[in-house]
Amino acid sequence: MNNYAVITGASAGLGAEFSKQLAAKGLNLVLIARRLEKLKQIAEELSGAYGIDVKIMAADLTQSDAPSLIHQFCESENITVSWLVNNAGVAGEDLITERDWNKHVSFYQLMMTSVAHLCHLFAPAMVANKEGHILNIASVAGRIPRSGGCNYGPSKAYIVALSEDLALTLAPHGVKVSALCPGYTHTDFHETAGLSEMKAKMPKWLWYDASTVVREGITALEKGKSVYVSGRLYRWIDPILQSVWTRRLFKIPARL
């Protein structure tokens, strides 16, 4: 089978879990991340466990040419990409307190521009094949305005809006697109972002396992849901957050 799933941010967290669950479905993989040694380890484990082909590529999606290089790599390997999982991401710097604008430019490139660019590059072949799946990892943080940071939530709100438009546009051509919106998830994301202390202080019932989030995201995409909030608790809260009657109650200004 020549069908492959391209997964960005595949060396850890949700990306590694997506790699495992899609491999279990019989898909071959193209794993993308900055840490090549970690990708080699994951590739060996998955190819041995599931008998699939796993290709790896080191790429930094904060660089504007990275999406084109990924696409060129797939074309050079004669790969048919039937799944695209845009998972790579970071917490980002505070828009106001971080005064180095170049750091924000790199963040936007990673979190928004690279996602749109990869969709731009891979969707046409899916349309031509009349089959494809694009899963963009957003967040519950993109579903409601909140004070502080002013970067992460807005970037995820863009991913939700982009995915909804793409889903409507590509559905008639057999291509399914979904924005997966997890809440708090057990990965190394918070440790990498320096938020371990915050995580330790939070109630355990707010957190979901990566395996649950990924399983629900794959199922939602296959069912054609353009936006899916992962986790029963967050699915219950989301309609309240989106209601015109209650939304204003959550818009709490920061105390400076």
Side-chain angles (χ1 to χ4, degrees), residues 38-222:
K38 183 62 175 176
L39 288 179
K40 288 179 180 178
Q41 177 186 337
I42 294 173
E44 289 176 4
E45 291 173 357
L46 294 179
S47 60
Y50 299 103
I52 60 167
D53 182 43
V54 184
K55 301 185 186 301
I56 60 174
M57 177 182 177
D60 182 355
L61 285 162
T62 66
Q63 303 300 308
S64 60
D65 63 344
S68 294
L69 293 175
I70 293 169
H71 186 251
Q72 290 168 14
F73 172 78
C74 292
E75 286 197 324
S76 69
E77 295 288 332
N78 196 30
I79 287 171
T80 299
V81 175
S82 58
W83 284 69
L84 170 63
V85 180
N86 284 307
N87 166 75
V90 296
E93 306 285 351
D94 186 292
L95 178 63
I96 305 304
T97 60
E98 175 52 66
R99 303 312 300 162
D100 183 350
W101 181 247
N102 288 329
K103 289 185 178 180
H104 299 299
V105 171
S106 293
F107 176 80
Y108 301 143
Q109 171 64 38
L110 169 64
M111 301 294 282
M112 296 182 284
T113 305
S114 71
V115 175
H117 195 176
L118 286 166
C119 290
H120 166 78
L121 291 168
F122 283 102
M126 295 181 182
V127 170
N129 292 332
K130 295 181 170 38
E131 190 270 335
H133 301 79
I134 298 174
L135 186 56
N136 298 322
I137 310 308
S139 172
V140 168
R143 303 288 285 167
I144 185 71
R146 60 195 179 118
S147 63
C150 303
N151 259 337
Y152 185 77
S155 74
K156 293 303 188 180
Y158 169 76
I159 296 304
V160 172
L162 172 67
S163 300
E164 287 187 292
D165 275 20
L166 283 170
L168 290 170
T169 302
L170 300 180
H173 305 284
V175 180
K176 296 176 180 178
V177 183
S178 181
L180 173 62
C181 300
Y184 291 111
T185 307
H186 288 298
T187 67
D188 61 353
F189 177 87
H190 294 85
E191 287 76 8
T192 303
L195 301 173
S196 297
E197 185 176 347
M198 178 207 76
K199 179 178 179 179
K201 292 179 179 179
M202 295 180 65
K204 290 182 171 54
W205 49 265
L206 286 173
W207 295 82
Y208 284 84
D209 290 334
S211 59
T212 299
V213 171
V214 169
R215 183 180 67 253
E216 291 186 349
I218 291 172
T219 300
L221 176 59
E222 290 178 327

